[in-house]
Amino acid sequence: MEENQILQMAGSTSSFFQDARLPQQRDVEGVAFPAVLVPSGGPPGPGGGIDDFLAAVRSERASRVEPLLREAGAVLLRGFPVRTAADFDRAVEAFGYEELPYVGGAAPRTNVVGRVFTANESPPDQKIPFHHEMAQVPTFPAKLFFFCEVEPKSGGETPIVLSHYVYKRMNEKFPEFVEKLEKHGLIYTPVLGEGDDPSSPIGRGWHSTFLSKDKSVAEERAAELGMTLEWTDDGVKTVMGPIPAVKWDEVRKRKIWFNSMVAAYTGWKDARNDPVKAVTFGDGSPLPADVIDECGKILEEECVAVPWQQGDILLIDNWAVLHSRRSFEPPRRVLASLCK
């Protein structure tokens, strides 16, 4: 294997999965981040072995994959015979997690097959800042899958960062800010058009956000999310919050930086939205620009960005890890699936 693909084999082996190390991995508090699994006998031939892989996922998810996910927060599966969106859909099904409908999310996405969607379809020259998936709504996925169907010509990584470590660094550097954030939470107020706008990173229109073209149905579904709607001539202002920006991870017994604050403040910009107004403290007061800037720097400093390779599957625990997207030179096709 090429050095930039797999640096070395490491750790334990099962009948199908082998731990591996990549040069981009980081040791965070003694744990390799992300965890990496490759085929224990080397990669199978092109097009072969998909059924064996799916069977191994079903039999070893609980004993092999989930303990790694719990410890590391993210697991990269590399070198397995998953080539197409349909293969990826079968792989997600094999893991057995219940699907989470994409209701209330901001990113424009297209359903590809089954429970597989495109990842954020915003233009390649735009980067998508760090966020927990759907942190701006109370019903969010517990787990995310990303799959690289077509690897980028250059760039296009999906950087990841451990949320509890971001909280730790922010609390050390800005304790008064974090105290206010924990007390008041955040209010998110993105403005949506009617239809999707693929030129915007938050270009999902209200028709697809609420899966209906009926305003009364949209209002009902918004209310289920704890969201209020303020209709305009050509769209709707959504008001969500106050909603907690710091959560308690019950599984790992630690506080996490569970928000889309930096993403909203720096990235929710289009013809309808002023990012500075798109997110505020829960008491309505503005967020300090200098602290947001420093938080963005911390996220970048602590992140890991592994270049995508065709066939990669990245499983993320949304309770543990924030993710982003770097700009890229096409082609690039990364698909996603959200799970409860």
Side-chain angles (χ1 to χ4, degrees):
M1 296 183 186
E2 296 178 4
E3 185 180 3
N4 67 349
Q5 181 186 36
I6 301 295
L7 181 64
Q8 63 185 61
M9 298 301 182
S12 59
T13 306
S14 68
S15 58
F16 201 86
F17 298 107
Q18 163 77 53
D19 287 337
R21 294 302 302 261
L22 295 175
Q24 296 87 4
Q25 275 174 299
R26 299 179 68 151
D27 284 322
V28 181
E29 298 172 342
V31 176
F33 176 70
V36 179
L37 291 176
V38 298
S40 56
I50 181 70
D51 291 330
D52 290 341
F53 170 65
L54 299 178
V57 166
R58 293 186 191 100
S59 65
E60 299 188 38
R61 184 198 82 183
S63 63
R64 187 81 175 89
V65 182
E66 289 197 334
L68 272 181
L69 184 66
R70 200 158 40 244
E71 181 181 49
V75 179
L76 175 66
L77 296 113
R78 172 165 285 182
F80 296 99
V82 181
R83 296 287 174 261
T84 66
D87 290 345
F88 176 49
D89 188 51
R90 293 179 68 196
V92 173
E93 280 289 330
F95 273 91
Y97 304 127
E98 189 176 350
E99 182 179 9
L100 181 83
Y102 189 53
V103 179
R109 299 180 190 268
T110 302
N111 183 228
V112 178
V113 59
R115 50 197 290 182
V116 173
F117 288 76
T118 56
N120 192 315
E121 295 176 345
S122 60
D125 62 336
Q126 296 181 10
K127 76 171 191 175
I128 299 169
F130 280 100
H131 59 285
H132 278 279
E133 190 65 30
M134 296 171 67
Q136 73 276 15
V137 292
T139 303
F140 51 84
K143 296 178 178 67
L144 328 171
F145 287 90
F146 289 108
F147 166 66
C148 180
E149 188 176 33
V150 179
E151 62 186 69
K153 187 173 181 181
S154 65
E157 299 93 342
T158 300
I160 53 177
V161 62
L162 284 161
S163 191
H164 76 286
Y165 206 69
V166 177
Y167 172 82
K168 178 181 175 182
R169 286 204 55 188
M170 285 296 293
N171 199 37
E172 288 171 352
K173 194 163 188 177
F174 303 105
E176 292 179 1
F177 171 82
V178 172
E179 182 181 5
K180 183 173 181 179
L181 196 63
E182 293 194 61
K183 180 180 179 181
H184 294 292
L186 293 169
I187 295 175
Y188 299 93
T189 55
V191 180
L192 312 181
E194 193 173 85
D196 289 357
D197 175 9
S199 70
S200 166
I202 55 162
R204 198 172 186 218
W206 68 264
H207 287 177
S208 57
T209 297
F210 302 111
L211 306 179
S212 177
K213 295 182 180 180
D214 186 322
K215 287 185 178 181
S216 62
V217 174
E219 288 174 352
E220 288 175 11
R221 291 180 175 163
E224 290 170 4
L225 294 170
M227 183 187 297
T228 58
L229 304 183
E230 299 173 8
W231 296 100
T232 64
D233 291 340
D234 63 346
V236 62
K237 179 181 179 181
T238 65
V239 181
M240 171 56 71
I243 192 167
V246 173
K247 290 185 181 289
W248 177 254
D249 179 354
E250 187 61 42
V251 172
R252 300 172 183 84
K253 307 296 182 186
R254 62 196 188 193
K255 288 183 176 181
I256 52 174
W257 193 253
F258 198 92
N259 60 72
S260 295
M261 180 182 71
V262 170
Y265 195 93
T266 64
W268 287 11
K269 184 177 183 179
D270 60 18
R272 291 181 174 83
N273 289 276
D274 175 355
V276 175
K277 296 177 181 176
V279 59
T280 65
F281 279 116
D283 63 359
S285 58
L287 298 171
D290 59 328
V291 176
I292 302 296
D293 184 60
E294 285 298 314
C295 184
K297 291 177 182 177
I298 288 171
L299 288 160
E300 289 293 339
E301 287 169 8
E302 299 298 338
C303 80
V304 172
V306 179
W308 282 113
Q309 292 189 1
Q310 200 274 331
D312 282 353
I313 294 177
L314 178 62
L315 171 56
I316 292 176
D317 187 330
N318 199 35
W319 278 94
V321 170
L322 302 97
H323 67 279
S324 66
R325 187 200 77 183
R326 289 184 176 166
S327 59
F328 62 93
E329 185 178 356
R332 175 190 189 267
R333 185 168 166 89
V334 173
L335 306 177
S337 188
L338 311 182
C339 306
K340 292 183 179 178

